[in-house]
Amino acid sequence: MRYWLMKSEPSEYSIDDLARDGSVPWFGVRNYQARNFMRDQMRVGDGVLFYHSSCAEPGVAGLAQVVKAAYPDATQFEAGGKYYDPKATAENPRWVHVDVGFVKKTRLMSIAELRGYPELAHMQVLAKGNRLSITPVDPAEWRFILGKLA
DNA sequence: GCCAACGTTGGC
DNA sequence: GCCAACGTTGGC
């Protein structure tokens, strides 16, 4: 059982969208490190902090969980699509993703609030220059955040 | 809109 | 394999 933080731009896909859909294929990741996390480390049942990025109020907006292990991202084969990858083939897909399921919507825990807690000082998502859309969360950090959201 | 930081690309 | 140029991310 591991814990993760996954960023999504709410204008693209928000916690409310996930609440409506129940679960969603986490398509569109085109970063190898983030892909490798999904492919190599994410397991069904892993906990997810659903994070809103690139918006007026960036921060943790809800809780989710991994509900399906990694499989090929269909959008890499969609010629002309935003996520098309000409080097990907059905035999050798380059991009995979997990499915993420809704758990609950929480109050917004802003990035400023996150930065304010010494207990979270080493959170990877808060590290200077971090741009990864998927980052691991320490169990202690996970428990601390859930406590603050309770 | 700005810009720091980072990942990727491609020429050499 | 190096590294400059370029594109993207994402908070502010």
Side-chain angles (χ1 to χ4, degrees):
Chain A
M1 175 87 173
R2 288 188 165 99
Y3 304 99
W4 308 93
L5 181 144
M6 300 176 81
K7 294 180 190 173
S8 182
E9 302 187 16
S11 60
E12 297 282 324
Y13 199 85
S14 72
I15 189 69
D16 292 321
D17 294 321
L18 186 61
R20 179 197 62 213
D21 296 342
S23 72
V24 69
W26 205 258
F27 63 87
V29 169
R30 295 295 180 268
N31 169 283
Y32 290 106
Q33 233 182 313
R35 178 204 67 182
N36 292 349
F37 281 142
M38 290 197 281
R39 186 189 63 190
D40 303 333
Q41 297 193 40
M42 283 192 176
R43 298 291 177 265
V44 171
D46 280 4
V48 174
L49 299 174
F50 193 102
Y51 181 95
H52 283 173
S53 68
S54 292
C55 58
E57 288 193 296
V60 174
L63 303 179
Q65 63 180 343
V66 176
V67 294
K68 186 174 178 182
Y71 62 102
D73 180 341
T75 63
Q76 70 194 301
F77 307 122
E78 293 169 359
K82 181 178 176 184
Y83 297 111
Y84 179 61
D85 184 342
K87 292 180 180 166
T89 63
E91 298 73 33
N92 267 311
R94 181 181 289 202
W95 305 107
V96 299
H97 59 56
V98 298
D99 282 4
V100 171
F102 179 73
V103 173
K104 69 185 290 193
K105 184 176 178 177
T106 65
R107 73 178 175 86
L108 188 96
M109 195 170 184
S110 72
I111 186 169
E113 180 180 350
L114 293 170
R115 288 194 193 284
Y117 296 123
E119 292 89 343
L120 304 179
H122 297 107
M123 265 193 98
Q124 197 169 326
V125 73
L126 301 179
K128 181 174 180 172
N130 169 72
R131 294 189 330 180
L132 264 186
S133 62
I134 300 175
T135 48
V137 175
D138 286 346
E141 293 166 345
W142 173 268
R143 287 192 299 271
F144 180 82
I145 290 170
L146 260 61
K148 290 292 176 188
L149 290 173

